[in-house]
Amino acid sequence: DTGDVTLWASLCLLLSRGTTTLSSERLGTMGYGLCAGIAASLERGPGSVAVVVVGDGGFQMTMNELGTAVQHGCRLLVLVVDNGVLGRVEFGFKNAK
């Protein structure tokens, strides 16, 4: 996804060789993570698990797509980082003067 969760994930996750990541970090598209995870799961096929790391704001925008994931048999592990605020949006407003 995008926002604060992207910053934290890039600092904290250790990825093994051959791991593929999907990110829209420079486009700022909140809610991208879950949909990208569904696409990754469909592309990899049965038996694979897509790990999705999203913020609470981005997840709220696309959580209805969990139904799509179930309908298509996607295997997802969704980690929602809940900071209770749209962090990058709040940061922008606080620093705009």
Side-chain angles (χ1 to χ4, degrees), residues 38 42 63-76:
I38 292 170
L42 291 171
M63 66 182 158
N64 58 321
E65 296 301 336
L66 288 173
T68 302
V70 170
Q71 181 180 7
H72 292 283
C74 297
R75 296 183 63 204
L76 303 174

Side-chain angles (χ1 to χ4, degrees), residues 25-60:
E25 63 188 67
R26 292 193 174 106
L27 298 175
T29 51
M30 288 178 62
Y32 168 84
L34 182 58
C35 297
I38 292 170
S41 177
L42 291 171
E43 173 64 25
R44 295 278 180 161
S48 67
V49 176
V51 178
V52 179
V53 182
V54 293
D56 52 333
F59 184 69
Q60 286 178 338

Side-chain angles (χ1 to χ4, degrees), residues 2-38:
T2 189
D4 286 347
V5 68
T6 304
L7 299 172
W8 286 108
S10 67
L11 292 171
C12 298
L13 293 178
L14 296 175
L15 304 174
S16 60
R17 184 176 295 257
T19 300
T20 302
T21 61
L22 300 174
S23 175
S24 71
E25 63 188 67
R26 292 193 174 106
L27 298 175
T29 51
M30 288 178 62
Y32 168 84
L34 182 58
C35 297
I38 292 170

